[in-house]
Amino acid sequence: MTAAAADRPSLREMAESVASGAVEPSTFVAESLEAIRQDRSRIPPIHPFLWVDEKAAARAGERAAANRLSGPLAGVPVAIKDNMATLELPTTCGSRILDGYCSPFEATTVQRLKDAGAVVVGKTNLDEFAMGSSTENSAIAPTRNPRDPTRVPGGSSGGSAAAVAAGMVPGALGSDTGGSVRQPASFCGVVGIKPTYGRVSRYGLVAFASSLDQIGTFGRSVRDAALLLQVIAGPDPRDSTCARSDVPDLLKASSGSAEGMVVGVPDEYFPDSLDAGVRALCDEALARMQEAGAEVRRVSLPHTEYAVPTYYIIATAEASSNLARYDGVRYGPRPAEARSTGEFYEMVRSRGFGSEVKRRIMLGTYVLSAGYYEAFYGRAQKVRALIAQDFARVFDAGVHVVFTPTSPTVAFRIGEKIDDPLQMYLSDIFTVTANLAGLPAISLPIGSIGGLPVGGQILARRWDEATMVRAATVLEGALRTRG
Ligand code: GLN
């Protein structure tokens, strides 16, 4: 986060000061809108937001006056990635094909935040349809990293991460299909959680790769990100993949200790080629965990090297099928000059999608096509199972959490990888496994290199967000006392 953000009250402090009556219910919302406005006059702007609800503060005031603004997050401003459906603001996924689309319904996560009293101030920028690792694939404009505006904020939830890192909002929602919450959190120096697949309802989340997509949270501390997760998680009859099981008390988890905790460190995530600075910060984080009472144990996840190709086969296959629905008939720009239905679709889709989305649709269509299906898609499903088994074996051997770097590097420069999709894909190496195996994972800041933040990742067993949050809180505390 930036120095300006560090001076802002935390999400929990905001909630507490509104609840106690010390601060008016619309004050933090108004401050948030002002910070967003100020960014527009900065050269260049960070530009985390695509859509801003300028009336959010007035609305919050009215709701409070009518006694309709209550709950654990009353008066807390939050931001939502623009691939989740909202009633008051457009939902465009950073794509031209959804230009002007306003959803007639609301995502469960958004509804739960509002029910808890939170106020949505705006929708944040993303790589088109959440496909990317830098937010440069947004059809509208890129977002910059608040710590260094010449660099990317990461992606695809770069807008949400940047908004939190710049102190514009204390918390935000993102989506994570292969790292899109954790990697931008790492690049911007904030905390990002990807929950267990099925922990949070996907109702109202625009689908990218349905078997991997999961909504996650951003905060400036583990506690704030966990608090948001607590509010949005839990059963939802509108999403059949959302588990019916109860959500653990994550706030209680955030006050535990690391005594007796076994932290697994997989060799495959620390290759010889790993950036020396990233490695040193990881070693230091592990030393702190040890001092705090944890046992650090070397482990092996042997199928890690196949994770990126497996992910890019499954994710593109599912994307090609999910994105078939964008035909331009009900919304989006309509080409008046089309002479046939076929020509209409062709014009809509070739003009409406950006080049990365087209690349994914083509890759996905290819791996699903007759003759190649078994060789690519079928095989990828098998390798996905092996990757999940690797983790299961490690956890069954008594390891409670696994620690890795979140990303092999710090934030790269804007433009550095945009013309080299393979390099961009390879930067997802440490994050895609959690999605393939359905595990919960968190990224938290563990230091910086030349002023640029580095994130450490902690993964846990499916449904064990409590242990993950406990480990992350211990590490965060231990690093803070280091100064
Ligand atoms: N960077 C990965 C991709 O481009 C992950 C994206 C995501 O998690 N939405 O697919």
Side-chain angles (χ1 to χ4, degrees), residues 432-451:
V432 294
T433 46
N435 304 77
L436 289 168
L439 308 174
I442 185 171
S443 176
L444 73 157
I446 57 165
S448 54
I449 303 173

Side-chain angles (χ1 to χ4, degrees), residues 110-121:
V110 174
Q111 202 170 37
R112 288 192 181 162
L113 283 176
K114 284 169 133 182
D115 289 347
V119 180
V120 175
V121 292

Side-chain angles (χ1 to χ4, degrees), residues 93-175:
C93 296
S95 180
R96 272 193 294 268
I97 213 157
L98 280 171
D99 200 16
Y101 175 69
C102 284
S103 168
F105 63 95
E106 198 161 57
T108 298
T109 46
V110 174
Q111 202 170 37
R112 288 192 181 162
L113 283 176
K114 284 169 133 182
D115 289 347
V119 180
V120 175
V121 292
K123 303 288 290 288
T124 54
N125 201 9
L126 67 162
D127 287 297
E128 185 176 3
F129 284 102
M131 297 175 188
S133 311
S134 68
T135 314
E136 291 165 291
N137 293 334
S138 164
I140 293 122
T143 294
R144 292 170 185 273
N145 190 316
R147 290 281 286 262
D148 176 351
T150 65
R151 295 181 186 257
V152 302
S156 63
S157 316
S160 286
V164 172
M168 295 177 191
V169 282
L173 297 189
S175 65

Side-chain angles (χ1 to χ4, degrees), residues 313-314 366-368 371-381:
I313 289 172
I314 294 174
Y366 178 78
V367 299
L368 287 176
Y372 294 107
Y373 184 95
E374 257 321 306
F376 292 106
Y377 186 72
R379 192 173 292 181
Q381 292 293 10

Side-chain angles (χ1 to χ4, degrees), residues 42-94:
R42 201 173 291 158
I43 303 170
I46 302 298
H47 191 258
F49 287 89
L50 292 180
W51 320 107
V52 177
D53 183 359
E54 305 288 351
K55 298 202 182 76
R59 256 199 260 268
E62 282 161 24
R63 271 170 70 193
N67 269 333
R68 282 190 299 108
L69 192 75
S70 57
L73 299 181
V76 174
V78 291
I80 309 289
K81 186 178 185 179
D82 198 30
N83 61 352
M84 281 170 245
T86 45
L87 289 172
E88 282 93 6
L89 291 164
T91 300
T92 67
C93 296

Side-chain angles (χ1 to χ4, degrees), residues 208 311-321 360-361 363-365 367:
F208 160 12
Y311 168 82
Y312 276 94
I313 289 172
I314 294 174
T316 56
E318 293 184 16
S320 71
S321 151
R360 306 257 179 144
I361 293 174
L363 270 170
T365 308
V367 299

